[in-house]
Amino acid sequence: MPHARHLPAVIGLPLAVVSGVAIPLQSRINGALGQTLGDGLAAALISFGTGLVLMILISLLFPRGRAGLAQLVPAVRERRFPRIYLAAGTIGALFVFSQALTISLLGVALFTVAAVMGQTLSGLAVDRAGIGPGGRRVITPMRVIGVLLTVAAVVWAVSPRLEGTGTTAALILPLLLPITAGILVSFQQAMNGTAAVHYGTPITATLMHFIAGSSVLLLAWLVKLLVAGPPEPLPEQWWYYLGGPMGCIYIGIGALLVRSLGVLLTGLGMIAGQLLGSLALDLVIPTPGTVVVFATVAGPILALGAIILTTLPWNRGLQRRS
């Protein structure tokens, strides 16, 4: 595998947390755009499309982007990694689609809990199987505890918003979609991270992610266009189109970090950032029905504590033997 610089956890984890902050900001922007257009699928397509345009510009204007493009065809032709990794962006499209399809029924809080449960559990499995560029990572008791504490932190943080979502069997099937999407997110990060190593830069991996995701969403939207007709006119406000750049930050940093931190730890850091970003938005730009109580503040703190426990060298000898 080509040489790539390893980042120490003291640098990588803050980067993961910062990139996670972009997720609730992107969700808020895309949600507002979907309401304005009356079409959540169109909003997702615009988000992916603006991200794709930005990544094309970065790939062409920056030397590392051009160098990565030069490695794209040789990497695929020589099968340096499985070609299915080029389709990692379709997982992102599935995640966005699951938001558009189920959030109105489940609510944001329950959707978040379901997706985080899937992502953290699959993060353990992906690291154990060695699918990511960082190789195999042993499942230690502290990593399991870190996963459980992270899920508990998310449940605690969103618990004020879980009231009224219902607990009937009618929610079981809708819950399966965000759980599945969350499970696949870990594989997406591993695939993008592996491709980034072989391209020599996460820029090209992020570009390919947006190409694949935009293609799937465009096809789905065209089908919907034939059935339901066009959405409302595009809004003039510039901030409606920042969802794509937020996604570039999240995907690019994730592809960079999984080699050094592993899929699980990268995901935990991003989840902590997601909780912190959601808290900041609720405090600075609250939406109708926003509730900020003790649990809303304590949840992100517990998530950060879970990350610290997971990174401490409790089982360094066991990991070295593995």
Side-chain angles (χ1 to χ4, degrees), residues 52 55-56 58-60 62-76 81 85-86 191-193 195-212 251-252 255:
L52 175 59
M55 291 312 305
I56 290 174
I58 292 175
S59 298
L60 294 176
F62 288 85
R64 292 197 65 183
R66 294 194 296 271
L69 286 177
Q71 290 296 316
L72 174 59
V73 174
V76 175
F81 54 84
Y85 285 18
L86 295 171
M191 293 158 70
N192 283 335
V197 171
H198 290 286
Y199 297 144
T201 173
I203 294 175
T204 308
T206 307
L207 171 66
M208 298 307 297
H209 176 96
F210 276 91
I211 289 175
I251 298 300

mmCIF file of all heavy atoms in Angstrom, residues 52 55-56 58-60 62-76 81 85-86 191-193 195-212 251-252 255:
data_model
loop_
_atom_site.group_PDB
_atom_site.id
_atom_site.type_symbol
_atom_site.label_atom_id
_atom_site.label_comp_id
_atom_site.label_asym_id
_atom_site.label_seq_id
_atom_site.Cartn_x
_atom_site.Cartn_y
_atom_site.Cartn_z
ATOM 1 N N LEU A 52 -20.201 18.218 -5.549
ATOM 2 C CA LEU A 52 -19.478 17.704 -6.713
ATOM 3 C C LEU A 52 -18.788 18.829 -7.470
ATOM 4 O O LEU A 52 -17.616 18.696 -7.859
ATOM 5 C CB LEU A 52 -20.448 16.964 -7.633
ATOM 6 C CG LEU A 52 -19.872 16.458 -8.962
ATOM 7 C CD1 LEU A 52 -18.714 15.507 -8.724
ATOM 8 C CD2 LEU A 52 -20.970 15.784 -9.786
ATOM 9 N N MET A 55 -15.732 19.891 -5.527
ATOM 10 C CA MET A 55 -14.635 18.923 -5.590
ATOM 11 C C MET A 55 -13.974 18.902 -6.970
ATOM 12 O O MET A 55 -12.769 18.676 -7.088
ATOM 13 C CB MET A 55 -15.134 17.526 -5.225
ATOM 14 C CG MET A 55 -15.533 17.363 -3.767
ATOM 15 S SD MET A 55 -14.322 18.009 -2.590
ATOM 16 C CE MET A 55 -12.825 17.136 -3.069
ATOM 17 N N ILE A 56 -14.742 19.142 -8.031
ATOM 18 C CA ILE A 56 -14.145 19.242 -9.367
ATOM 19 C C ILE A 56 -13.189 20.426 -9.424
ATOM 20 O O ILE A 56 -12.063 20.321 -9.941
ATOM 21 C CB ILE A 56 -15.247 19.373 -10.439
ATOM 22 C CG1 ILE A 56 -16.011 18.051 -10.573
ATOM 23 C CG2 ILE A 56 -14.650 19.764 -11.784
ATOM 24 C CD1 ILE A 56 -17.208 18.135 -11.499
ATOM 25 N N ILE A 58 -11.624 21.908 -6.867
ATOM 26 C CA ILE A 58 -10.457 21.641 -6.024
ATOM 27 C C ILE A 58 -9.512 20.669 -6.731
ATOM 28 O O ILE A 58 -8.282 20.839 -6.705
ATOM 29 C CB ILE A 58 -10.906 21.075 -4.669
ATOM 30 C CG1 ILE A 58 -11.638 22.155 -3.861
ATOM 31 C CG2 ILE A 58 -9.714 20.540 -3.872
ATOM 32 C CD1 ILE A 58 -12.213 21.664 -2.555
ATOM 33 N N SER A 59 -10.078 19.653 -7.377
ATOM 34 C CA SER A 59 -9.257 18.651 -8.051
ATOM 35 C C SER A 59 -8.474 19.242 -9.221
ATOM 36 O O SER A 59 -7.362 18.792 -9.527
ATOM 37 C CB SER A 59 -10.142 17.501 -8.558
ATOM 38 O OG SER A 59 -10.793 16.856 -7.479
ATOM 39 N N LEU A 60 -9.032 20.235 -9.867
ATOM 40 C CA LEU A 60 -8.372 20.828 -11.031
ATOM 41 C C LEU A 60 -7.417 21.963 -10.654
ATOM 42 O O LEU A 60 -6.406 22.176 -11.324
ATOM 43 C CB LEU A 60 -9.415 21.354 -12.024
ATOM 44 C CG LEU A 60 -10.304 20.293 -12.693
ATOM 45 C CD1 LEU A 60 -11.345 20.974 -13.569
ATOM 46 C CD2 LEU A 60 -9.469 19.307 -13.493
ATOM 47 N N PHE A 62 -5.835 22.573 -7.501
ATOM 48 C CA PHE A 62 -4.775 22.322 -6.534
ATOM 49 C C PHE A 62 -3.846 21.212 -7.039
ATOM 50 O O PHE A 62 -4.314 20.217 -7.593
ATOM 51 C CB PHE A 62 -5.359 21.931 -5.178
ATOM 52 C CG PHE A 62 -6.008 23.081 -4.458
ATOM 53 C CD1 PHE A 62 -7.331 23.420 -4.724
ATOM 54 C CD2 PHE A 62 -5.298 23.826 -3.537
ATOM 55 C CE1 PHE A 62 -7.935 24.479 -4.066
ATOM 56 C CE2 PHE A 62 -5.892 24.891 -2.876
ATOM 57 C CZ PHE A 62 -7.212 25.226 -3.137
ATOM 58 N N PRO A 63 -2.534 21.357 -6.816
ATOM 59 C CA PRO A 63 -1.585 20.355 -7.301
ATOM 60 C C PRO A 63 -1.876 18.948 -6.784
ATOM 61 O O PRO A 63 -1.790 17.972 -7.534
ATOM 62 C CB PRO A 63 -0.234 20.872 -6.786
ATOM 63 C CG PRO A 63 -0.423 22.350 -6.661
ATOM 64 C CD PRO A 63 -1.850 22.532 -6.240
ATOM 65 N N ARG A 64 -2.239 18.825 -5.498
ATOM 66 C CA ARG A 64 -2.519 17.494 -4.954
ATOM 67 C C ARG A 64 -3.772 16.893 -5.593
ATOM 68 O O ARG A 64 -3.872 15.671 -5.768
ATOM 69 C CB ARG A 64 -2.683 17.551 -3.440
ATOM 70 C CG ARG A 64 -1.389 17.890 -2.697
ATOM 71 C CD ARG A 64 -1.477 17.542 -1.246
ATOM 72 N NE ARG A 64 -1.610 16.102 -1.050
ATOM 73 C CZ ARG A 64 -1.765 15.535 0.143
ATOM 74 N NH1 ARG A 64 -1.827 16.283 1.235
ATOM 75 N NH2 ARG A 64 -1.876 14.229 0.263
ATOM 76 N N GLY A 65 -4.728 17.755 -5.923
ATOM 77 C CA GLY A 65 -5.916 17.266 -6.595
ATOM 78 C C GLY A 65 -5.598 16.735 -7.977
ATOM 79 O O GLY A 65 -6.085 15.672 -8.377
ATOM 80 N N ARG A 66 -4.746 17.458 -8.719
ATOM 81 C CA ARG A 66 -4.361 17.003 -10.050
ATOM 82 C C ARG A 66 -3.522 15.735 -9.974
ATOM 83 O O ARG A 66 -3.645 14.834 -10.812
ATOM 84 C CB ARG A 66 -3.598 18.113 -10.781
ATOM 85 C CG ARG A 66 -4.461 19.336 -11.095
ATOM 86 C CD ARG A 66 -3.776 20.239 -12.105
ATOM 87 N NE ARG A 66 -2.538 20.798 -11.583
ATOM 88 C CZ ARG A 66 -2.459 21.943 -10.911
ATOM 89 N NH1 ARG A 66 -3.569 22.654 -10.670
ATOM 90 N NH2 ARG A 66 -1.292 22.405 -10.481
ATOM 91 N N ALA A 67 -2.667 15.643 -8.944
ATOM 92 C CA ALA A 67 -1.859 14.431 -8.773
ATOM 93 C C ALA A 67 -2.750 13.229 -8.471
ATOM 94 O O ALA A 67 -2.514 12.117 -8.954
ATOM 95 C CB ALA A 67 -0.840 14.632 -7.652
ATOM 96 N N GLY A 68 -3.794 13.439 -7.676
ATOM 97 C CA GLY A 68 -4.723 12.356 -7.385
ATOM 98 C C GLY A 68 -5.479 11.915 -8.626
ATOM 99 O O GLY A 68 -5.693 10.714 -8.836
ATOM 100 N N LEU A 69 -5.892 12.865 -9.449
ATOM 101 C CA LEU A 69 -6.568 12.516 -10.700
ATOM 102 C C LEU A 69 -5.664 11.689 -11.605
ATOM 103 O O LEU A 69 -6.127 10.775 -12.293
ATOM 104 C CB LEU A 69 -7.006 13.790 -11.427
ATOM 105 C CG LEU A 69 -8.212 14.544 -10.834
ATOM 106 C CD1 LEU A 69 -8.469 15.820 -11.629
ATOM 107 C CD2 LEU A 69 -9.444 13.661 -10.825
ATOM 108 N N ALA A 70 -4.366 12.011 -11.590
ATOM 109 C CA ALA A 70 -3.425 11.248 -12.415
ATOM 110 C C ALA A 70 -3.312 9.804 -11.952
ATOM 111 O O ALA A 70 -2.977 8.916 -12.746
ATOM 112 C CB ALA A 70 -2.051 11.921 -12.393
ATOM 113 N N GLN A 71 -3.581 9.545 -10.672
ATOM 114 C CA GLN A 71 -3.508 8.184 -10.131
ATOM 115 C C GLN A 71 -4.827 7.437 -10.232
ATOM 116 O O GLN A 71 -4.871 6.229 -9.979
ATOM 117 C CB GLN A 71 -3.072 8.237 -8.656
ATOM 118 C CG GLN A 71 -1.637 8.654 -8.439
ATOM 119 C CD GLN A 71 -0.674 7.642 -9.038
ATOM 120 O OE1 GLN A 71 -0.830 6.438 -8.891
ATOM 121 N NE2 GLN A 71 0.341 8.132 -9.744
ATOM 122 N N LEU A 72 -5.899 8.132 -10.608
ATOM 123 C CA LEU A 72 -7.225 7.526 -10.605
ATOM 124 C C LEU A 72 -7.310 6.343 -11.565
ATOM 125 O O LEU A 72 -7.655 5.217 -11.161
ATOM 126 C CB LEU A 72 -8.272 8.581 -10.958
ATOM 127 C CG LEU A 72 -9.709 8.076 -11.135
ATOM 128 C CD1 LEU A 72 -10.204 7.399 -9.861
ATOM 129 C CD2 LEU A 72 -10.627 9.235 -11.514
ATOM 130 N N VAL A 73 -7.017 6.562 -12.825
ATOM 131 C CA VAL A 73 -7.132 5.492 -13.821
ATOM 132 C C VAL A 73 -6.153 4.352 -13.544
ATOM 133 O O VAL A 73 -6.552 3.181 -13.558
ATOM 134 C CB VAL A 73 -6.947 6.051 -15.245
ATOM 135 C CG1 VAL A 73 -6.923 4.912 -16.271
ATOM 136 C CG2 VAL A 73 -8.073 7.025 -15.574
ATOM 137 N N PRO A 74 -4.860 4.636 -13.250
ATOM 138 C CA PRO A 74 -3.948 3.525 -12.931
ATOM 139 C C PRO A 74 -4.406 2.709 -11.714
ATOM 140 O O PRO A 74 -4.297 1.479 -11.717
ATOM 141 C CB PRO A 74 -2.615 4.226 -12.662
ATOM 142 C CG PRO A 74 -2.697 5.500 -13.423
ATOM 143 C CD PRO A 74 -4.133 5.920 -13.346
ATOM 144 N N ALA A 75 -4.919 3.385 -10.687
ATOM 145 C CA ALA A 75 -5.358 2.661 -9.490
ATOM 146 C C ALA A 75 -6.511 1.722 -9.804
ATOM 147 O O ALA A 75 -6.568 0.590 -9.305
ATOM 148 C CB ALA A 75 -5.758 3.653 -8.394
ATOM 149 N N VAL A 76 -7.436 2.184 -10.642
ATOM 150 C CA VAL A 76 -8.584 1.348 -10.996
ATOM 151 C C VAL A 76 -8.157 0.234 -11.951
ATOM 152 O O VAL A 76 -8.538 -0.930 -11.789
ATOM 153 C CB VAL A 76 -9.695 2.209 -11.628
ATOM 154 C CG1 VAL A 76 -10.844 1.320 -12.104
ATOM 155 C CG2 VAL A 76 -10.212 3.242 -10.626
ATOM 156 N N PHE A 81 -7.344 -1.581 -5.371
ATOM 157 C CA PHE A 81 -8.392 -1.812 -4.386
ATOM 158 C C PHE A 81 -9.619 -2.315 -5.148
ATOM 159 O O PHE A 81 -9.727 -2.121 -6.366
ATOM 160 C CB PHE A 81 -8.729 -0.536 -3.606
ATOM 161 C CG PHE A 81 -9.073 0.645 -4.473
ATOM 162 C CD1 PHE A 81 -10.369 0.821 -4.969
ATOM 163 C CD2 PHE A 81 -8.102 1.578 -4.809
ATOM 164 C CE1 PHE A 81 -10.683 1.900 -5.775
ATOM 165 C CE2 PHE A 81 -8.418 2.663 -5.612
ATOM 166 C CZ PHE A 81 -9.713 2.821 -6.103
ATOM 167 N N TYR A 85 -15.310 -0.111 -4.456
ATOM 168 C CA TYR A 85 -15.041 1.023 -3.582
ATOM 169 C C TYR A 85 -15.349 2.343 -4.283
ATOM 170 O O TYR A 85 -15.573 3.367 -3.628
ATOM 171 C CB TYR A 85 -13.577 1.016 -3.134
ATOM 172 C CG TYR A 85 -13.257 -0.020 -2.071
ATOM 173 C CD1 TYR A 85 -14.103 -1.101 -1.835
ATOM 174 C CD2 TYR A 85 -12.092 0.077 -1.307
ATOM 175 C CE1 TYR A 85 -13.807 -2.050 -0.871
ATOM 176 C CE2 TYR A 85 -11.789 -0.869 -0.348
ATOM 177 C CZ TYR A 85 -12.650 -1.931 -0.132
ATOM 178 O OH TYR A 85 -12.351 -2.865 0.827
ATOM 179 N N LEU A 86 -15.364 2.345 -5.616
ATOM 180 C CA LEU A 86 -15.720 3.549 -6.356
ATOM 181 C C LEU A 86 -17.176 3.947 -6.114
ATOM 182 O O LEU A 86 -17.554 5.095 -6.345
ATOM 183 C CB LEU A 86 -15.492 3.337 -7.859
ATOM 184 C CG LEU A 86 -14.046 3.117 -8.307
ATOM 185 C CD1 LEU A 86 -14.010 2.708 -9.771
ATOM 186 C CD2 LEU A 86 -13.213 4.376 -8.084
ATOM 187 N N MET A 191 -13.983 2.325 2.751
ATOM 188 C CA MET A 191 -13.773 2.302 1.307
ATOM 189 C C MET A 191 -13.112 3.595 0.821
ATOM 190 O O MET A 191 -12.148 3.572 0.046
ATOM 191 C CB MET A 191 -15.116 2.072 0.602
ATOM 192 C CG MET A 191 -15.704 0.691 0.866
ATOM 193 S SD MET A 191 -17.502 0.592 0.612
ATOM 194 C CE MET A 191 -17.603 0.749 -1.170
ATOM 195 N N ASN A 192 -13.635 4.727 1.277
ATOM 196 C CA ASN A 192 -13.046 6.003 0.871
ATOM 197 C C ASN A 192 -11.620 6.163 1.395
ATOM 198 O O ASN A 192 -10.746 6.686 0.712
ATOM 199 C CB ASN A 192 -13.912 7.165 1.377
ATOM 200 C CG ASN A 192 -15.157 7.377 0.549
ATOM 201 O OD1 ASN A 192 -15.204 7.018 -0.627
ATOM 202 N ND2 ASN A 192 -16.187 7.955 1.150
ATOM 203 N N GLY A 193 -11.394 5.707 2.635
ATOM 204 C CA GLY A 193 -10.052 5.814 3.203
ATOM 205 C C GLY A 193 -9.041 4.970 2.450
ATOM 206 O O GLY A 193 -7.917 5.403 2.198
ATOM 207 N N ALA A 195 -9.275 3.983 -0.742
ATOM 208 C CA ALA A 195 -9.071 4.606 -2.049
ATOM 209 C C ALA A 195 -8.170 5.823 -1.929
ATOM 210 O O ALA A 195 -7.300 6.065 -2.789
ATOM 211 C CB ALA A 195 -10.410 4.985 -2.659
ATOM 212 N N ALA A 196 -8.332 6.625 -0.864
ATOM 213 C CA ALA A 196 -7.523 7.828 -0.687
ATOM 214 C C ALA A 196 -6.040 7.493 -0.573
ATOM 215 O O ALA A 196 -5.181 8.226 -1.086
ATOM 216 C CB ALA A 196 -7.987 8.590 0.554
ATOM 217 N N VAL A 197 -5.720 6.386 0.108
ATOM 218 C CA VAL A 197 -4.324 5.978 0.237
ATOM 219 C C VAL A 197 -3.724 5.682 -1.135
ATOM 220 O O VAL A 197 -2.604 6.081 -1.449
ATOM 221 C CB VAL A 197 -4.201 4.753 1.168
ATOM 222 C CG1 VAL A 197 -2.785 4.186 1.134
ATOM 223 C CG2 VAL A 197 -4.578 5.139 2.589
ATOM 224 N N HIS A 198 -4.470 5.018 -1.982
ATOM 225 C CA HIS A 198 -3.958 4.631 -3.294
ATOM 226 C C HIS A 198 -3.939 5.798 -4.285
ATOM 227 O O HIS A 198 -3.132 5.800 -5.212
ATOM 228 C CB HIS A 198 -4.764 3.467 -3.850
ATOM 229 C CG HIS A 198 -4.528 2.182 -3.126
ATOM 230 N ND1 HIS A 198 -3.371 1.452 -3.264
ATOM 231 C CD2 HIS A 198 -5.287 1.516 -2.215
ATOM 232 C CE1 HIS A 198 -3.429 0.374 -2.493
ATOM 233 N NE2 HIS A 198 -4.579 0.393 -1.848
ATOM 234 N N TYR A 199 -4.833 6.751 -4.090
ATOM 235 C CA TYR A 199 -4.774 7.955 -4.924
ATOM 236 C C TYR A 199 -3.671 8.901 -4.456
ATOM 237 O O TYR A 199 -3.215 9.759 -5.203
ATOM 238 C CB TYR A 199 -6.098 8.716 -4.870
ATOM 239 C CG TYR A 199 -7.285 7.971 -5.418
ATOM 240 C CD1 TYR A 199 -8.538 8.117 -4.813
ATOM 241 C CD2 TYR A 199 -7.181 7.129 -6.526
ATOM 242 C CE1 TYR A 199 -9.649 7.443 -5.297
ATOM 243 C CE2 TYR A 199 -8.286 6.451 -7.011
ATOM 244 C CZ TYR A 199 -9.520 6.619 -6.393
ATOM 245 O OH TYR A 199 -10.615 5.954 -6.868
ATOM 246 N N GLY A 200 -3.285 8.757 -3.184
ATOM 247 C CA GLY A 200 -2.300 9.654 -2.609
ATOM 248 C C GLY A 200 -2.894 10.897 -1.992
ATOM 249 O O GLY A 200 -2.174 11.747 -1.474
ATOM 250 N N THR A 201 -4.235 11.017 -2.001
ATOM 251 C CA THR A 201 -4.903 12.194 -1.441
ATOM 252 C C THR A 201 -6.377 11.886 -1.219
ATOM 253 O O THR A 201 -6.992 11.161 -2.024
ATOM 254 C CB THR A 201 -4.775 13.407 -2.387
ATOM 255 O OG1 THR A 201 -5.577 14.492 -1.885
ATOM 256 C CG2 THR A 201 -5.227 13.073 -3.789
ATOM 257 N N PRO A 202 -6.969 12.424 -0.148
ATOM 258 C CA PRO A 202 -8.420 12.239 0.040
ATOM 259 C C PRO A 202 -9.250 13.075 -0.922
ATOM 260 O O PRO A 202 -10.465 12.876 -1.013
ATOM 261 C CB PRO A 202 -8.633 12.680 1.495
ATOM 262 C CG PRO A 202 -7.511 13.613 1.789
ATOM 263 C CD PRO A 202 -6.342 13.102 0.995
ATOM 264 N N ILE A 203 -8.620 14.020 -1.623
ATOM 265 C CA ILE A 203 -9.364 14.877 -2.548
ATOM 266 C C ILE A 203 -10.037 14.033 -3.632
ATOM 267 O O ILE A 203 -11.227 14.198 -3.925
ATOM 268 C CB ILE A 203 -8.431 15.933 -3.179
ATOM 269 C CG1 ILE A 203 -7.929 16.894 -2.101
ATOM 270 C CG2 ILE A 203 -9.149 16.697 -4.290
ATOM 271 C CD1 ILE A 203 -6.906 17.907 -2.615
ATOM 272 N N THR A 204 -9.283 13.126 -4.235
ATOM 273 C CA THR A 204 -9.826 12.311 -5.317
ATOM 274 C C THR A 204 -10.864 11.329 -4.798
ATOM 275 O O THR A 204 -11.881 11.081 -5.467
ATOM 276 C CB THR A 204 -8.691 11.556 -6.030
ATOM 277 O OG1 THR A 204 -7.673 12.482 -6.404
ATOM 278 C CG2 THR A 204 -9.194 10.858 -7.283
ATOM 279 N N ALA A 205 -10.640 10.765 -3.607
ATOM 280 C CA ALA A 205 -11.637 9.867 -3.019
ATOM 281 C C ALA A 205 -12.946 10.608 -2.761
ATOM 282 O O ALA A 205 -14.038 10.065 -2.995
ATOM 283 C CB ALA A 205 -11.096 9.264 -1.726
ATOM 284 N N THR A 206 -12.856 11.845 -2.290
ATOM 285 C CA THR A 206 -14.058 12.650 -2.047
ATOM 286 C C THR A 206 -14.753 12.988 -3.353
ATOM 287 O O THR A 206 -15.989 12.955 -3.446
ATOM 288 C CB THR A 206 -13.689 13.941 -1.296
ATOM 289 O OG1 THR A 206 -12.949 13.615 -0.116
ATOM 290 C CG2 THR A 206 -14.931 14.714 -0.899
ATOM 291 N N LEU A 207 -13.970 13.302 -4.389
ATOM 292 C CA LEU A 207 -14.545 13.579 -5.707
ATOM 293 C C LEU A 207 -15.339 12.378 -6.217
ATOM 294 O O LEU A 207 -16.492 12.520 -6.670
ATOM 295 C CB LEU A 207 -13.434 13.932 -6.694
ATOM 296 C CG LEU A 207 -13.847 14.035 -8.169
ATOM 297 C CD1 LEU A 207 -14.801 15.209 -8.376
ATOM 298 C CD2 LEU A 207 -12.604 14.174 -9.062
ATOM 299 N N MET A 208 -14.755 11.192 -6.140
ATOM 300 C CA MET A 208 -15.437 9.990 -6.622
ATOM 301 C C MET A 208 -16.675 9.692 -5.783
ATOM 302 O O MET A 208 -17.687 9.183 -6.297
ATOM 303 C CB MET A 208 -14.476 8.805 -6.607
ATOM 304 C CG MET A 208 -13.263 8.974 -7.525
ATOM 305 S SD MET A 208 -13.729 9.394 -9.222
ATOM 306 C CE MET A 208 -14.660 7.934 -9.691
ATOM 307 N N HIS A 209 -16.611 9.995 -4.497
ATOM 308 C CA HIS A 209 -17.769 9.824 -3.619
ATOM 309 C C HIS A 209 -18.941 10.657 -4.127
ATOM 310 O O HIS A 209 -20.075 10.166 -4.231
ATOM 311 C CB HIS A 209 -17.399 10.235 -2.193
ATOM 312 C CG HIS A 209 -18.533 10.198 -1.234
ATOM 313 N ND1 HIS A 209 -18.788 9.127 -0.414
ATOM 314 C CD2 HIS A 209 -19.503 11.113 -0.959
ATOM 315 C CE1 HIS A 209 -19.854 9.369 0.325
ATOM 316 N NE2 HIS A 209 -20.310 10.561 0.008
ATOM 317 N N PHE A 210 -18.683 11.910 -4.459
ATOM 318 C CA PHE A 210 -19.763 12.795 -4.895
ATOM 319 C C PHE A 210 -20.242 12.453 -6.300
ATOM 320 O O PHE A 210 -21.414 12.663 -6.620
ATOM 321 C CB PHE A 210 -19.314 14.252 -4.806
ATOM 322 C CG PHE A 210 -19.472 14.833 -3.432
ATOM 323 C CD1 PHE A 210 -18.438 14.766 -2.512
ATOM 324 C CD2 PHE A 210 -20.658 15.411 -3.037
ATOM 325 C CE1 PHE A 210 -18.587 15.277 -1.236
ATOM 326 C CE2 PHE A 210 -20.820 15.924 -1.765
ATOM 327 C CZ PHE A 210 -19.791 15.858 -0.859
ATOM 328 N N ILE A 211 -19.368 11.930 -7.130
ATOM 329 C CA ILE A 211 -19.797 11.501 -8.459
ATOM 330 C C ILE A 211 -20.792 10.347 -8.338
ATOM 331 O O ILE A 211 -21.863 10.346 -8.966
ATOM 332 C CB ILE A 211 -18.585 11.089 -9.322
ATOM 333 C CG1 ILE A 211 -17.769 12.329 -9.716
ATOM 334 C CG2 ILE A 211 -19.043 10.350 -10.571
ATOM 335 C CD1 ILE A 211 -16.501 12.005 -10.466
ATOM 336 N N ALA A 212 -20.451 9.340 -7.530
ATOM 337 C CA ALA A 212 -21.326 8.176 -7.375
ATOM 338 C C ALA A 212 -22.650 8.561 -6.723
ATOM 339 O O ALA A 212 -23.731 8.169 -7.188
ATOM 340 C CB ALA A 212 -20.613 7.102 -6.551
ATOM 341 N N ILE A 251 -16.720 14.151 4.439
ATOM 342 C CA ILE A 251 -16.224 13.001 3.690
ATOM 343 C C ILE A 251 -14.707 13.058 3.545
ATOM 344 O O ILE A 251 -13.998 12.047 3.715
ATOM 345 C CB ILE A 251 -16.885 12.934 2.303
ATOM 346 C CG1 ILE A 251 -18.400 12.756 2.445
ATOM 347 C CG2 ILE A 251 -16.291 11.797 1.476
ATOM 348 C CD1 ILE A 251 -18.804 11.503 3.170
ATOM 349 N N GLY A 252 -14.175 14.244 3.226
ATOM 350 C CA GLY A 252 -12.732 14.375 3.008
ATOM 351 C C GLY A 252 -11.916 14.081 4.253
ATOM 352 O O GLY A 252 -10.935 13.336 4.210
ATOM 353 N N ALA A 255 -12.059 10.345 5.122
ATOM 354 C CA ALA A 255 -11.164 9.538 4.284
ATOM 355 C C ALA A 255 -9.709 9.696 4.708
ATOM 356 O O ALA A 255 -8.907 8.764 4.584
ATOM 357 C CB ALA A 255 -11.325 9.942 2.815
#
